[in-house]
Amino acid sequence: FGVSSLDAKKAKTFVGTPYWMAPEVIDSKSGMSTYGPKTDVWSLGITAIELAETMPPLSHINPMRALFQIPARDPPVLEKQDKWSAEFHDFIAKCLEKNPKKRPDATQMLEHPFIKNCSKDPVILQNFVKRKNQLENNFDSDEDSCEFISDDEGTADISKALGFGTGTSTVDSEISEEDETPSVTPTGTMNNDYLPAYMSMTSTPQPNAIPAYLTGVAPIPQPQYNSTPNLFSPPPSDFAPKPPVSGISEPAPPPPSDVAPTPPMEKKEKRQLAQTTPTNNKALLPSEMKSSPASTPKKKSTSTMKRPPPTHRSTKKSANNAAGGGAVREKANKRIIKQQMGVLRELGQKAQKRMTKQDKIHNAEKDKIIAEYKKQADQIAKNAETASKNLEKQQKKERDGMIAAQLREQRNNTKDTDTSEKSLQKGLRDNSKVSLKNHQAKQKQLSKEHKLKLKQSKKGTSSSQLKAMKKEQKVEIGLNDMMHNLQLQRESKFEETKLEWKNNIAYDKLIWSQMEQSQKSESDMLQQTMTHELEVLQNTFKIRMEEMEKLQPVIQRQLTERQELQENNLKAQLGVEKQQQLTLVKAEHKRMAKEVVEKKKRLQKVTDAKNKQLAKGIGMSKAEIKAKQAETKQQLVEDMKALDDEHEKITTEQTLAEEEDIDMYQTRVVQQLKERQDEEREKLKRKQAKERFELRQEEIDAKRNLTNEHHEKLTAMLAKHQADQSAQLEKQHSDKLTLLQNQHKNCITMVENQRQELLAFLQKQLSGEPNATFQDKVETEISKVIQEKDAEDKKQQQEIAEILEQEQRDLKQAQFAAKQELEETKSADIEKLDALQASNVLEE
């Protein structure tokens, strides 16, 4: 009781009062389990039963035996089910839930109807405290008489107040020797264990009754029933008094204030009263007890008062020994129990120390493995960072080298263009020379023909006609020269146009090739980066998996070692507990043997006295006397044998019962430990399987995320590359068409200009006189060139259009194939990850 004040969620200290201890507190003495504030809820339920029945459950047995039976038994209930309200039964049932996980906490119990529906009038507690203080003052006085409040006057207030009062005690306080001074809690209030009987019983006090703590013998109250409402149920009902159990000094109710106290008894009367007090060595359940009237004379009160005994005192002493050796024996038993509890506590502390030491060793071992793999993980991260930087440097170097190579290629292309232009010009000059030579030869032949014609035409031709003929011949020679020169110009222009077109095609191919090279290099670099990231991820999870594979067997081994240590601790504890119980039993048997010896002595004395009386022989013959004496001796032998047989039977039954209790408790504890260990192993197995599953799942998720990220980058890069390719192809197509149109336009313009030059030449040479022959010759020549050029341009445009259309189709097909390949790669990667996912789920 009072664990909540420790602010400990998982306490392990074996502390408390045995009858009020929760099962998990008792189990904690082996150091194998922990408990929390919910133990106070259990103690509250036991206190509620105590307030209702004046005694806590199992109070009729030794506290050490109670420690064995509380965890093994079902939760206690009220004996008289129909005497209490359903709310009170439910309140106790919820408080006494053996499983701490299912047991409500204090906050939840505050919402219980039994608590919520109670009276909250502070006057109840105020009156109770006032009467308690008045009672204490009366007990502390040196007067021979005391004033007491009547039972009818205080029961109603006390019954409402005691529903919530609890006390705090420890094992040491429960088994320690009783102090001669009042027991006071740290808050200044009295412990409820020391409340007088009229605060826990509703029996009507007998006249001249004196509280048990003022006498050596506990009186047994008469079974008086009244109409006082019980402590917990709203409707009034009888509250049957509970008789004291064997070995418990039950305080008697004080007399009412209007009854004078009984004067002190003489020593002889006390002896007679002690001899007539019935002996009850057998421990009874509260339901088996019967009340018997008794009254005890009051001792002279002293200034130092002995408090009423707590309800958890040992019940092994009888009432007829309470005033004599029973009290001494009770103190001796308490010292033994205190020593035994101390041994158990010390044993639990040692076990806990061994467990703590083992935990430290295990944690150090695990920390060493974790530190080792953490170092490896840090090294992997460091190496990955270094490799990433080196890769970036290498990629930058490759990129710069590629750009430099492309610039060189462009410069070489320019040089090749210049070279081809020079070569073309040289070829044109050579062709011009040859053509000029041939033209001059033709012109000489034409001049000879003209001279011959003039010579033949001199006869019969006028001088004006000869003069006109000579002029026409001269104009024809000049026209031929001019047309030859213009032809050379046209051919030179046309060749330059072809060369320009050829160079443009070569340049576009170079640019396209360099663009593809750059895109491929960028794709390769991205692929290298992704491969590096994937390797880093795989190495990271590989080292984590290796750490887990190495750590999990260690944890399994550590759990096995811990469980072996728990088993050894439990064996030691159970051995000590069994030895302690056997020690108590032996002590009890020794006491009982002494009582048998005393009884035998008394029987022997009675027999001897009887034989002496018979030896006087008053009115009897010697034979009769001898017969009577023999009969008496035989009866003595039979009585002693009966005592021995009864003693043997009782000790045998007690030993068997004790061994049965011990075996039942130890079997339960061992089974509980085995079940807990099996549960721990199964829990560890599930936990480790879950850790493996989660680690693999984490790796799969990380790979999936990284793969999706990589595919997003690849998709974005592919879209960018394809957009650049489409734009570049469109630009090249547009530039080609524009160049072709400009070249054709320039050529036609040059031909038209040559026509005008020729016509202007004829007009000038012929002085404005038209010459159809020359004009037809010029028109025919020019028209032929234009027609040829138009036909060539049309054919070239058609070819170019077909080429451009084919290039666009090829580009679209290539782009579609690239997208399809990327999608297939992504689908393949996702299928691999899905297969890993399915395998991981299947293993799980």
Side-chain angles (χ1 to χ4, degrees), residues 23 122 210 226 239 313 399 451 527 556 584 587 605 737 841:
I210 298 176
N226 56 30
F239 189 82
R313 295 181 63 182
R399 191 164 43 249
K451 288 180 181 179
Q527 195 66 41
Q556 293 174 0
L584 290 176
K605 288 182 180 179
L737 292 175
V841 172

Side-chain angles (χ1 to χ4, degrees), residues 637-697:
V637 171
E638 292 177 358
D639 291 343
M640 287 187 176
K641 185 176 183 302
L643 285 175
D644 292 336
D645 293 343
E646 181 182 6
H647 172 69
E648 176 133 11
K649 179 181 178 182
I650 292 174
T651 54
T652 302
E653 290 177 353
Q654 286 184 350
T655 302
L656 292 176
E658 192 68 27
E659 290 178 351
E660 182 179 356
D661 287 344
I662 293 174
D663 292 340
M664 179 181 67
Y665 167 75
Q666 293 189 349
T667 301
R668 174 194 167 274
V669 171
V670 172
Q671 182 65 25
Q672 188 180 37
L673 176 63
K674 183 178 179 181
E675 292 174 356
R676 186 186 300 118
Q677 290 180 346
D678 292 341
E679 183 180 355
E680 286 177 353
R681 285 192 292 269
E682 187 63 26
K683 185 177 180 181
L684 178 62
K685 183 179 178 180
R686 292 195 301 269
K687 179 183 177 183
Q688 291 185 345
K690 183 179 179 182
E691 288 176 351
R692 291 192 297 270
F693 171 78
E694 289 178 348
L695 182 59
R696 288 193 297 265
Q697 187 63 41

Side-chain angles (χ1 to χ4, degrees), residues 462-661:
S462 61
S463 59
S464 59
Q465 289 179 343
L466 289 173
K467 186 176 180 181
M469 187 179 294
K470 287 182 181 180
K471 186 177 181 180
E472 287 177 1
Q473 290 178 350
K474 184 178 179 181
V475 169
E476 183 180 5
I477 295 297
L479 181 61
N480 289 337
D481 291 337
M482 188 174 183
M483 289 178 68
H484 179 265
N485 292 332
L486 292 177
Q487 181 183 0
L488 291 177
Q489 290 179 6
R490 286 197 307 272
E491 291 176 354
S492 177
K493 180 65 176 176
F494 293 163
E495 291 297 329
E496 290 176 357
T497 300
K498 291 179 181 180
L499 181 61
E500 183 182 7
W501 176 261
K502 182 180 178 181
N503 291 335
N504 182 268
I505 295 296
Y507 182 76
D508 286 346
K509 288 182 178 179
L510 176 63
I511 295 301
W512 186 266
S513 175
Q514 290 183 349
M515 182 184 68
E516 289 180 340
Q517 185 181 6
S518 299
Q519 290 180 352
K520 186 176 183 305
S521 176
E522 184 179 359
S523 178
D524 292 341
M525 290 179 182
L526 179 60
Q527 195 66 41
Q528 290 176 356
T529 302
M530 292 189 301
T531 303
H532 171 69
E533 292 176 353
L534 190 59
E535 289 178 355
V536 172
L537 181 66
Q538 289 176 344
N539 292 335
T540 300
F541 279 98
K542 180 181 178 182
I543 200 69
R544 288 180 60 184
M545 184 60 72
E546 290 178 357
E547 177 186 3
M548 180 179 293
E549 290 176 352
K550 186 173 182 179
L551 195 59
Q552 285 188 350
V554 171
I555 295 176
Q556 293 174 0
R557 175 178 54 77
Q558 290 179 353
L559 178 62
T560 303
E561 293 176 356
R562 180 180 177 85
Q563 290 179 348
E564 290 176 355
L565 182 58
Q566 288 177 346
E567 292 174 359
N568 294 334
N569 291 339
L570 183 61
K571 288 179 182 178
Q573 175 203 330
L574 295 179
V576 171
E577 288 179 351
K578 188 170 185 179
Q579 186 64 33
Q580 288 179 346
Q581 291 303 307
L582 294 178
T583 300
L584 290 176
V585 172
K586 288 180 181 179
E588 181 66 16
H589 291 174
K590 186 177 181 181
R591 181 191 66 79
M592 293 171 63
K594 289 182 178 179
E595 290 181 355
V596 170
V597 171
E598 293 295 330
K599 288 180 180 180
K600 286 182 178 181
K601 289 181 179 178
R602 288 196 295 270
L603 286 174
Q604 185 69 44
K605 288 182 180 179
V606 170
T607 303
D608 293 343
K610 192 173 181 180
N611 288 334
K612 287 181 180 180
Q613 187 69 22
L614 290 172
K616 293 180 180 180
I618 301 174
M620 296 178 64
S621 63
K622 290 184 178 181
E624 290 177 344
I625 292 173
K626 288 183 179 180
K628 287 288 184 180
Q629 287 180 345
E631 182 180 352
T632 302
K633 289 181 180 179
Q634 182 63 30
Q635 185 65 36
L636 175 62
V637 171
E638 292 177 358
D639 291 343
M640 287 187 176
K641 185 176 183 302
L643 285 175
D644 292 336
D645 293 343
E646 181 182 6
H647 172 69
E648 176 133 11
K649 179 181 178 182
I650 292 174
T651 54
T652 302
E653 290 177 353
Q654 286 184 350
T655 302
L656 292 176
E658 192 68 27
E659 290 178 351
E660 182 179 356
D661 287 344

Side-chain angles (χ1 to χ4, degrees), residues 654-785:
Q654 286 184 350
T655 302
L656 292 176
E658 192 68 27
E659 290 178 351
E660 182 179 356
D661 287 344
I662 293 174
D663 292 340
M664 179 181 67
Y665 167 75
Q666 293 189 349
T667 301
R668 174 194 167 274
V669 171
V670 172
Q671 182 65 25
Q672 188 180 37
L673 176 63
K674 183 178 179 181
E675 292 174 356
R676 186 186 300 118
Q677 290 180 346
D678 292 341
E679 183 180 355
E680 286 177 353
R681 285 192 292 269
E682 187 63 26
K683 185 177 180 181
L684 178 62
K685 183 179 178 180
R686 292 195 301 269
K687 179 183 177 183
Q688 291 185 345
K690 183 179 179 182
E691 288 176 351
R692 291 192 297 270
F693 171 78
E694 289 178 348
L695 182 59
R696 288 193 297 265
Q697 187 63 41
E698 184 181 354
E699 181 180 7
I700 292 171
D701 293 340
K703 286 183 177 180
R704 192 183 298 276
N705 293 334
L706 187 60
T707 300
N708 291 335
E709 182 182 348
H710 288 171
H711 282 294
E712 288 177 359
K713 290 181 179 180
L714 289 173
T715 302
M717 185 184 67
L718 181 61
K720 178 179 176 297
H721 288 174
Q722 291 182 351
D724 292 342
Q725 290 173 356
S726 299
Q728 182 65 26
L729 186 62
E730 189 69 25
K731 181 178 178 299
Q732 288 182 355
H733 290 179
S734 177
D735 292 344
K736 286 178 180 179
L737 292 175
T738 302
L739 177 61
L740 187 61
Q741 291 173 0
N742 291 336
Q743 287 180 345
H744 180 67
K745 182 179 179 180
N746 293 334
C747 290
I748 297 301
T749 301
M750 184 189 67
V751 173
E752 289 293 340
N753 291 335
Q754 288 182 353
R755 174 192 289 176
Q756 295 299 327
E757 289 181 5
L758 290 173
L759 293 177
F761 173 77
L762 291 176
Q763 187 175 5
K764 181 180 179 182
Q765 294 295 328
L766 296 176
S767 299
E769 296 178 0
N771 190 322
T773 304
F774 293 153
Q775 288 180 355
D776 291 340
K777 183 179 180 179
V778 170
E779 290 296 335
T780 300
E781 182 71 20
I782 295 301
S783 297
K784 180 182 178 182
V785 172

Side-chain angles (χ1 to χ4, degrees), residues 359-370:
D359 288 342
K360 289 182 179 180
I361 296 174
H362 289 172
N363 291 334
E365 185 179 6
K366 288 188 291 187
D367 292 342
K368 183 179 179 181
I369 296 174
I370 292 172

